[in-house]
């Protein structure tokens, strides 16, 4: 099995501080009163404005420190910061590769140095074969045979076979595949299920803004759950639909959780309705 750490399961880092402007303001006000115990702070006192300005600037500074701490953590780093972390592992970002996919490849790269044919090594090299591969599942149902399932977006069979050829060429390199392994590569396209829902808005809510927020939430939800063996929870869909301005949601389909096999995945075709009925 892969020994790569699942970054999403790591506890929140203690170095990241929860910030509150009001708390910083109270601390500064208390510090001033300790230095000037006989001074009464009135609403019209210029010192109040100075405390407000100083509190806000300290809030920005602490947030910058939080951001700097996150920039050197694999679980939170983004953009060029993540590129520099990848460089420490000797792993560059593929062309047009997004942060989440690159982040997933970086810890898997450690297993690529093994010549024992580990699951993580096969996952890493499969991801590296083509940037259109969204997820990978590796298993073996008999000694010496390794099955590689590569999840790709819906496309023509010719395009899918080109990706399969890239995987085969990569995995059958003599410096990658153990001589005793026979690798069987299979591409997998997600099973499309229709997400049909009726969205009822609060009075005065801007339909276009609400719909945009819903689609952004659903895009993030699908990206997180459209993976091999990943459940698509019914409750998670409803949660993504309940954006600010939404009064209630009637989810028509799916009617229950979607649970694919370990080597299969689901994706969602979105059909939203906004009835006028109150």
């Amino acid at each position: 099995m892969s020994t790569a750490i699942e970054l999403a399961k790591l506890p929140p880092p203690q170095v990241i501080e929860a910030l509150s402007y009001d708390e910083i303001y109270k601390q500064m006000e208390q510090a001033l009163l300790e230095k000037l115990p006989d001074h009464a702070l009135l609403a019209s006192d210029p010192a109040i404005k100075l405390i407000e300005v100083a509190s806000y600037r300290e809030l920005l500074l602490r947030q910058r420190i939080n951001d700097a701490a996150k920039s050197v953590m694999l679980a939170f780093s983004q953009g060029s910061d993540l590129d520099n972390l990848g460089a420490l592992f000797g792993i560059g970002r593929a062309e047009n590769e997004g942060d989440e996919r690159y982040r997933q490849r970086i810890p898997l790269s450690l297993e690529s140095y093994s010549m024992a044919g580990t699951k993580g090594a096969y996952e890493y090299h499969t991801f590296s074969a083509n940037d259109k591969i969204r997820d990978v599942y590796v298993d073996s149902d008999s000694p010496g045979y390794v099955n590689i399932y590569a999840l790709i977006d819906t496309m023509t069979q010719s395009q899918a076979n080109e990706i399969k050829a890239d995987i085969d060429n990569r995995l059958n390199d003599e410096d990658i595949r153990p001589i005793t392994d026979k690798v069987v590569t299979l591409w997998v396209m997600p099973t499309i299920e229709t997400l049909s829902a009726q969205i009822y808005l609060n009075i005065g809510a801007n339909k276009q803004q609400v719909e945009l927020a819903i689609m952004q939430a659903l895009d993030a939800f699908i990206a997180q759950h459209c993976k091999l063996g990943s459940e698509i929870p019914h409750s998670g869909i409803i949660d993504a639909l309940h954006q600010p301005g939404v009064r209630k949601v009637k989810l028509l389909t799916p009617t229950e959780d979607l649970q694919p096999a370990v080597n299969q995945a689901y994706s969602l075709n979105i059909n939203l309705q906004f009835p006028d009925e109150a």
Side-chain angles (χ1 to χ4, degrees), residues 8 17 76 237 244:
E17 180 184 11
F76 301 101
I237 298 174

Side-chain angles (χ1 to χ4, degrees), residues 83-158:
D83 291 336
N84 280 275
L85 280 181
L88 294 176
F89 291 78
I91 303 302
R93 186 193 296 264
E95 186 177 357
N96 300 321
E97 186 173 27
D99 282 347
E100 292 307 314
R101 189 180 185 279
Y102 185 36
R103 194 190 323 278
Q104 187 177 3
R105 280 203 307 123
I106 289 174
L108 284 174
S109 69
L110 296 175
E111 298 201 42
S112 70
Y113 300 110
S114 168
M115 286 302 294
T118 66
K119 178 179 178 181
Y122 277 119
E123 288 177 356
Y124 169 76
H125 287 298
T126 303
F127 271 121
S128 300
N130 190 293
D131 60 10
K132 293 183 176 61
I133 297 167
R134 296 179 56 180
D135 197 21
V136 179
Y137 177 74
V138 180
D139 72 2
S140 176
D141 49 20
S142 61
Y145 283 81
V146 179
N147 302 314
I148 308 290
Y149 299 89
L151 178 65
I152 57 178
D153 288 318
T154 301
M155 59 182 66
T156 66
Q157 184 168 341
S158 175

Side-chain angles (χ1 to χ4, degrees), residues 156-176:
T156 66
Q157 184 168 341
S158 175
Q159 292 171 321
N161 286 334
E162 289 179 6
I163 295 176
K164 180 181 182 300
D166 289 341
I167 299 172
D168 288 338
N169 291 335
R170 174 87 178 193
L171 296 185
N172 285 299
D173 188 291
E174 63 180 10
D175 292 329
I176 293 176

